[in-house]
Amino acid sequence: MSGNEIDWTAFWSPVRLSLQVALLSSVIAAVLGIAVAWWMSHRSFRGKIVLETVFMLPLVLPPTVVGFLLLVLLGRKSLLGQWIEAIFSAPVIFSWWAAVIASVVVAFPLVYQTMKSGFSGIDRDLEDAGRSIGANEWQVFRYISLPLAGRALMTAFILGFARALGEFGATLMIAGNIPGKTQTVPTAIYVAVDSGNQTMAWAWTGSIIIISFVMLLLTRQPTHEKA
């Protein structure tokens, strides 16, 4: 095959895996982020600032540091890693699930911060009104808080998806770069550039730019309110 041609078989495999990992990890990060953000926005306790700082750490730590910590935590020599391997008869390291875990960790701060801002902007009187007529906390969350924070929810999910889609350092540390198994678009681009295959590098770069652009564009859509 000419160096100027795209190997479409090799092209689609990382794209499919990246979308699969990004979709699953963004759903997991959204569920965790929504639950934690709602709980934190309704609680005040000593050490809250410290706990929130821990939640935000993956946003500022180098991805390789996040990957190293996950490798220590989930590696075959760790208790957690051995427990997972005993249950599933396979290690989580160097599997596509490792890529999902890495993506969840790095996407969670964005989801959490976005949802926290969404819940903080809700009029507490509306939630109290629901409680006053007998609604429990789950009903308040389900029928009042979550719908009112719907815009933040969509933004949080899309930002989490985009962040997971572009994850590289932590994924490379704990999932590796196994073609057809753990190779995502960012790691495929790295290998293509390193091997001098500019055509494939540009093809994958273009794909991730288009996907990320579309996802971010969705967060910019104005809301239309009825007069």
Side-chain angles (χ1 to χ4, degrees):
M1 182 186 69
S2 171
N4 294 322
E5 295 179 359
I6 297 176
D7 183 347
W8 290 107
T9 301
F11 171 81
W12 285 113
S13 179
V15 173
R16 283 194 298 267
L17 182 61
S18 288
L19 291 174
Q20 179 180 333
V21 168
L23 180 60
L24 181 56
S25 59
S26 58
V27 169
I28 295 173
V31 172
L32 293 175
I34 291 170
V36 175
W38 188 79
W39 190 85
M40 292 290 285
S41 65
H42 289 75
R43 299 290 186 278
S44 180
F45 54 89
R46 182 176 298 180
K48 181 178 179 179
I49 295 178
V50 175
L51 184 58
E52 288 191 318
T53 302
V54 172
F55 291 156
M56 300 303 296
L57 267 180
L59 192 62
V60 296
L61 286 176
T64 50
V65 173
V66 176
F68 173 72
L69 293 175
L70 289 174
L71 191 62
V72 172
L73 180 64
L74 301 173
R76 304 186 74 171
K77 293 183 179 180
S78 71
L79 291 176
L80 181 57
Q82 292 173 1
W83 179 72
I84 293 174
E85 187 170 354
I87 293 177
F88 297 101
S89 300
V92 67
I93 300 300
F94 301 121
S95 69
W96 78 277
W97 278 105
V100 172
I101 293 172
S103 297
V104 169
V105 171
V106 299
F108 176 81
L110 283 174
V111 176
Y112 169 76
Q113 189 61 38
T114 304
M115 288 309 304
K116 180 188 172 187
S117 298
F119 287 136
S120 297
I122 296 174
D123 188 346
R124 290 289 181 266
D125 290 340
L126 295 176
E127 295 179 327
D128 291 337
R131 296 185 182 97
S132 68
I133 60 175
N136 57 36
E137 289 303 310
W138 164 249
Q139 291 172 325
V140 170
F141 169 77
R142 170 65 180 83
Y143 296 106
I144 299 176
S145 304
L146 199 57
L148 291 175
R151 180 67 178 176
L153 172 59
M154 187 182 81
T155 301
F157 176 80
I158 292 175
L159 290 178
F161 182 94
R163 180 65 185 87
L165 187 67
E167 168 51 34
F168 172 74
T171 299
L172 188 62
M173 290 285 288
I174 70 169
N177 182 44
I178 307 171
K181 183 178 179 182
T182 66
Q183 187 180 64
T184 59
V185 171
T187 57
I189 292 172
Y190 175 81
V191 172
V193 172
D194 189 55
S195 63
N197 193 339
Q198 295 294 318
T199 301
M200 292 299 292
W202 273 113
W204 280 317
T205 298
S207 70
I208 205 167
I209 288 175
I210 291 172
I211 296 170
S212 298
F213 178 83
V214 171
M215 297 301 293
L216 288 176
L217 186 64
L218 292 176
T219 70
R220 307 293 297 174
Q221 295 302 309
T223 55
H224 300 282
E225 297 181 0
K226 294 181 179 180

